[in-house]
Amino acid sequence: MQRHGRTAVLLIALFALAGCSRPSALFSEQNARAHVQMLADTIGSRPPGSHAHARARAYVIDQLRLFGYEVRLQETDARRPEIGRTARVANIIGVLPGARREAIGLLSHYDSRADTPGAGDDAFGVAISLEAARVIAATADRQWTTLVLVTDAEEEGLMGAAALMADAAVRDHLGAYINVEASGSSEPTMLFETGPGNPWLVTPWARRAPNPRGGSFALEIYRRLPNDTDFSILKRHEIPGLNFGLVGDSYSYHTARDTADRLSRRALRETGENVVGIVTALQASDITARTQGTATYFDIGGTVGVSYGSTGFWVTTVLGLILGSLAWVRQTRFLVVQEGAGRWILGLLWMLLALVATVAAMVGAVWLLRAGREVYHPWYARPDRLFLMIAAIGTAVAWMMARAGRWIPIRAKGLRHPAVAWTYTLPVWIALSLAMTWFAPPAAYLWTLPLLTAGIVLVLAPPASSAAVRAASVVVLAVAATLWLRDTIDLLRYMVAVFGRLPIITPVYAYPALIALAGLMIAPPFFAAAAAPAPLLRPALATALALTIVAASSIAAWMAPAYTYEQPLRRYARVFQEPGAARSVWQVGSLEPGLDLGEGAPGGWTTATPEVTSIPWGRIAQPFVFSTSAEPLGAPPAAVTSYSAEPLEGGGTTLRIAVVAKEPSLSISFVLPPGIVPARSNLPGVIRAGRWTATFVAPPPEGIAWQASFAAVTAPQLKDLRVAVTASGVPGGTGWQRLPAWLPQERMVWTVWSTWALDPSVPPPIEPVPPLR
């Protein structure tokens, strides 16, 4: 909710509302689950152009018409010149008229990747949209039109969204929209992206979502990930929207494990109720209004949403910096007067030493765990054990550094007072607040709000009264823990899954760094609140307890399975067939060094990258890759039906190629020789690995035609032109993924694809004609 210019005290008071609840919308989780089961289980994997894809499209259209929506199909060739890609798409546009033509949109996509049933990504989003559409259709007196936009080919480069923005009826009337995506199977569903001009649009989420979950900090993380959603395309057209993502249990994302039975019931219910609540609020507001700037937003315990715009951002930031500085001066002046500047400086040096020792121990523990196991990511399947071990070791080292302080001469020891924690912590919080305000404003509230709270209560608390400072520390701890604790746990779990699909070995400092950062915000107010004027009577018991927890958590982390069926290792395999070659080339890659293939696999695997000269095939983007050769793939699933390279008057060449696919859901690329770029082309292309390439995804049954003209290029110079045909799976593979039988499945999940390079100037062999009977 907008709180421009409100006082900082009101902002802090909002934390007391964590126990509040909102009325639920009339959203049926059972109906939504039925949609997911139909799309992901009954229909299954839905790559563009496939028969299952067409069935899913028909199902969604039937459901929308059943709810009273006018439905039309946008069938077109979508183009994205910036990535050199074209795709035949069929977007579903459902319209429920309101009193005005300006519309609120529900956005999702019904396609999936070929190697996944796509229950989370994005049958989840489609199910939410369909059930929300039913609820909206049952309401009366709708001010705004409702658009249900179910796009195609999102997984192939956001092609459906690109086509949608070429539809004037949608683009010109869409006033606001909600996109529902998923990179997981379980809660939370986070509001992780908004914009543009979003403060007015975040208000309905904060006020009317029954279970608000999200934080503007997520935008800073999302910007740094190699991911996009349909939201990215609509955002470029300055259409305000809210982007929600299901992020829990992200192990299943883009894998064969993304099934309907894995999808959380709670996630379906809460996300659906939130969407209906937001749309209901938008129906009562002016969606044609616009506000400048970016909102800062977060939730409190999943029950209360907080949002404020640029004015609130600067008020809280400036007040936090000023009051935090004043509080530091008061606490530090008191300590210097009581214990002297020398003891204060000695305490600072000891704190820095303790911090370095703590972080070093946490990083070292992760390194030792990796070194003691046969895999690089032994924590993948059970990450909570790793996090507990890191936190336990950090706490134990910090405690032992505090205990080591007894060796300091009595005359050099400082006071046992809660102000000691704040005199060394507040400058760090101030520096972090300044840095985040400058470099990552959407995430700055994580530092500025605890700093503002500390500034207010510590300015009011008399430094000489340890009880007053401890009470003030409890207030700061409540705010810091509310902002940091749950989000840090969720983010740590999400990081494990994300690193599991990035082509890098996870740095050993990644998880300790985040835990240390959260500890820097939670531990100081905790220790200040728990500070006692006298030492513990039996400190050895605390030491023994800390070491026991360290030992137990370390053993649990060391014994944890690295990968399981539910948390599998992602592996990749691909095969390439050169035109006319007697052997095919195979590659297998993953984040782990073992080859681990089953019986019947080809032999002769090596870590050397094979030479492929006809197209820039390269190497799988994984740390560990093995290659070999095997029997040829057989006939390609597409054929060049015509080829001509004719000279132009005055120099140059006109090239025409027609390709017909023999099976659906292919990707066909036209790859020019190095250094040659067309002057004109009917398909957009880009330079990839030094060669101009134009790609067409999901070609129609009648085939595709590419025409291009070249200046100062002759037909012989085009002799190295190739047509690359890529299909999911391999010919003769087993199961719906068409996988080779020698790929183990128990603790691994596979993405497999095949590529044929065709020489378009060579006529295809004539297939034998069966004898007449």
Side-chain angles (χ1 to χ4, degrees):
M1 53 192 77
Q2 294 291 344
R3 293 177 174 83
H4 296 298
R6 295 191 180 184
T7 66
V9 175
L10 180 58
L11 271 173
I12 297 168
L14 287 171
F15 290 95
L17 300 178
C20 297
S21 61
R22 312 286 185 86
S24 298
L26 300 176
F27 184 92
S28 169
E29 179 266 322
Q30 291 80 5
N31 290 348
R33 177 160 293 278
H35 296 315
V36 174
Q37 290 172 336
M38 173 58 73
L39 292 169
D41 286 354
T42 304
I43 296 176
S45 178
R46 308 172 298 282
S50 65
H51 176 64
H53 179 255
R55 288 183 62 194
R57 180 168 60 248
Y59 174 78
V60 174
I61 291 173
D62 287 346
Q63 293 299 306
L64 287 174
R65 286 176 175 162
L66 181 66
F67 301 152
Y69 286 73
E70 303 169 6
V71 182
R72 64 182 175 91
L73 204 59
Q74 183 199 21
E75 294 183 283
T76 185
D77 286 345
R79 298 168 184 265
R80 290 195 62 195
E82 67 273 22
I83 61 173
R85 182 162 293 198
T86 306
R88 176 64 57 89
V89 301
N91 290 328
I92 303 167
I93 302 172
V95 182
L96 184 69
R100 296 179 60 172
R101 296 183 63 187
E102 293 88 349
I104 301 168
L106 299 175
L107 183 63
S108 59
H109 67 91
Y110 69 97
D111 66 299
S112 74
R113 287 175 34 138
D115 52 358
T116 174
D121 186 20
D122 188 31
F124 171 77
V126 176
I128 296 295
S129 293
L130 288 177
E131 176 58 11
R134 180 193 67 82
V135 174
I136 294 166
T139 61
D141 301 325
R142 292 180 299 274
Q143 179 182 192
W144 310 106
T145 294
T146 302
L147 292 179
V148 181
L149 309 170
V150 189
T151 65
D152 190 7
E154 191 270 356
E155 301 291 356
E156 299 296 338
L158 318 179
M159 303 306 295
L164 196 66
M165 289 296 93
D167 189 311
V170 173
R171 184 187 63 245
D172 297 343
H173 294 101
L174 188 60
Y177 66 99
I178 299 171
N179 185 48
V180 181
E181 262 285 3
S183 62
S185 300
S186 182
E187 63 280 347
T189 301
M190 299 282 289
L191 173 60
F192 68 94
E193 186 181 17
T194 64
N198 66 342
W200 72 274
L201 187 54
V202 182
T203 300
W205 169 81
R207 287 180 176 171
R208 296 294 298 275
N211 308 284
R213 192 76 173 87
S216 51
F217 77 91
L219 179 58
E220 293 296 334
I221 298 172
Y222 179 65
R223 284 173 178 168
R224 291 158 176 81
L225 293 177
N227 297 94
D228 274 311
T229 68
D230 285 340
F231 191 94
S232 304
I233 300 295
L234 274 65
K235 190 175 180 179
R236 296 175 191 173
H237 290 265
E238 299 295 316
I239 303 175
L242 301 175
N243 204 4
F244 290 90
L246 182 67
V247 298
D249 187 22
S250 196
Y251 296 102
S252 61
Y253 178 61
H254 282 180
T255 74
R257 308 289 198 267
D258 188 12
T259 55
D261 61 341
R262 186 161 181 160
L263 195 62
S264 164
R265 296 181 59 181
R266 177 182 170 187
L268 276 170
R269 182 183 68 257
E270 291 186 351
T271 307
E273 291 175 353
N274 285 344
V275 169
V276 171
I278 294 167
V279 171
T280 301
L282 288 174
Q283 282 287 351
S285 64
D286 183 6
I287 66 171
T288 65
R290 294 293 181 268
T291 49
Q292 299 299 315
T294 301
T296 296
Y297 59 90
F298 54 90
D299 72 277
I300 302 174
T303 58
V304 175
V306 178
S307 170
Y308 51 91
S310 298
T311 302
F313 170 83
W314 287 111
V315 167
T316 55
T317 299
V318 173
L319 280 178
L321 293 171
I322 293 173
L323 293 176
S325 300
L326 290 175
W328 176 77
V329 169
R330 291 195 73 200
Q331 303 298 314
T332 304
R333 180 187 298 165
F334 165 75
L335 289 174
V336 170
V337 169
Q338 295 296 314
E339 63 183 14
R343 285 199 243 179
W344 186 89
I345 293 173
L346 181 61
L348 173 62
L349 295 176
W350 193 258
M351 283 283 188
L352 292 175
L353 180 61
L355 180 62
V356 171
T358 300
V359 174
M362 293 160 67
V363 175
V366 179
W367 182 87
L368 286 172
L369 178 63
R370 170 176 283 171
R373 296 287 297 274
E374 72 282 2
V375 293
Y376 278 86
H377 305 86
W379 52 75
Y380 186 75
R382 300 290 184 267
D384 287 353
R385 300 188 189 184
L386 173 74
F387 306 149
L388 178 59
M389 182 191 77
I390 294 172
I393 288 174
T395 302
V397 171
W399 167 251
M400 286 186 283
M401 288 296 296
R403 291 292 300 141
R406 69 182 185 273
W407 296 327
I408 298 175
I410 295 177
R411 295 180 60 183
K413 289 184 179 181
L415 295 177
R416 297 183 60 86
H417 193 284
V420 173
W422 290 116
T423 189
Y424 302 130
T425 298
L426 285 173
V428 178
W429 284 17
I430 291 169
L432 288 172
S433 296
L434 285 169
M436 299 306 293
T437 299
W438 181 262
F439 294 107
Y445 73 93
L446 291 170
W447 289 268
T448 57
L449 292 184
L451 177 63
L452 173 61
T453 308
I456 293 173
V457 296
L458 292 174
V459 164
L460 297 176
S465 171
S466 60
V469 177
R470 279 197 298 271
S473 301
V474 170
V475 176
V476 182
L477 176 62
V479 174
T482 299
L483 292 175
W484 278 89
L485 194 56
R486 187 171 61 155
D487 282 343
T488 298
I489 294 172
D490 288 340
L491 183 55
L492 283 166
R493 292 169 176 168
Y494 185 65
M495 282 175 62
V496 172
V498 168
F499 276 123
R501 56 181 181 261
L502 291 179
I504 60 172
I505 297 173
T506 305
V508 293
Y509 59 79
Y511 306 120
L514 180 56
I515 292 173
L517 186 62
L520 190 60
M521 302 304 297
I522 296 174
F526 172 80
F527 288 128
L536 293 176
L537 294 177
R538 304 284 295 275
L541 291 178
T543 302
L545 178 61
L547 293 177
T548 300
I549 295 174
V550 167
S553 60
S554 298
I555 293 172
W558 186 80
M559 295 182 64
Y563 301 98
T564 66
Y565 182 85
E566 295 296 329
Q567 296 85 24
L569 171 64
R570 294 171 182 260
R571 302 190 69 186
Y572 305 85
R574 63 176 182 170
V575 57
F576 175 75
Q577 183 68 55
E578 287 269 25
R583 304 280 287 178
S584 60
V585 179
W586 278 88
Q587 284 187 352
V588 170
S590 77
L591 294 175
E592 301 291 353
L595 188 57
D596 300 323
L597 300 178
E599 184 178 351
W605 294 92
T606 176
T607 56
T609 301
E611 287 191 16
V612 175
T613 57
S614 63
I615 63 171
W617 197 57
R619 183 178 185 271
I620 293 178
Q622 290 293 313
F624 302 99
V625 179
F626 301 87
S627 304
T628 192
S629 62
E631 296 298 318
L633 275 178
V640 177
T641 57
S642 67
Y643 170 85
S644 67
E646 301 173 354
L648 291 170
E649 292 185 10
T653 304
T654 294
L655 184 69
R656 295 182 179 88
I657 302 177
V659 181
V660 172
K662 300 177 184 178
E663 62 182 56
S665 303
L666 299 179
S667 173
I668 297 176
S669 298
F670 301 94
V671 185
L672 289 175
I676 296 179
V677 177
R680 294 181 180 178
S681 172
N682 68 328
L683 298 179
V686 294
I687 303 296
R688 288 198 182 97
R691 300 179 68 170
W692 188 91
T693 303
T695 300
F696 199 112
V697 177
E702 64 270 19
I704 57 174
W706 178 46
Q707 179 173 329
S709 59
F710 302 84
V713 174
T714 63
Q717 291 177 284
L718 296 172
K719 64 182 179 61
D720 291 330
L721 164 70
R722 292 293 181 265
V723 177
V725 180
T726 300
S728 179
V730 296
T734 60
W736 60 270
Q737 289 181 276
R738 302 198 307 170
L739 301 182
W742 41 267
L743 296 181
Q745 304 289 325
E746 180 59 29
R747 297 188 179 186
M748 303 176 189
V749 66
W750 292 88
T751 298
V752 180
W753 66 101
S754 309
T755 300
W756 291 257
L758 311 181
D759 185 346
S761 63
V762 177
I766 299 176
E767 297 182 3
V769 178
L772 298 175
R773 296 183 180 274

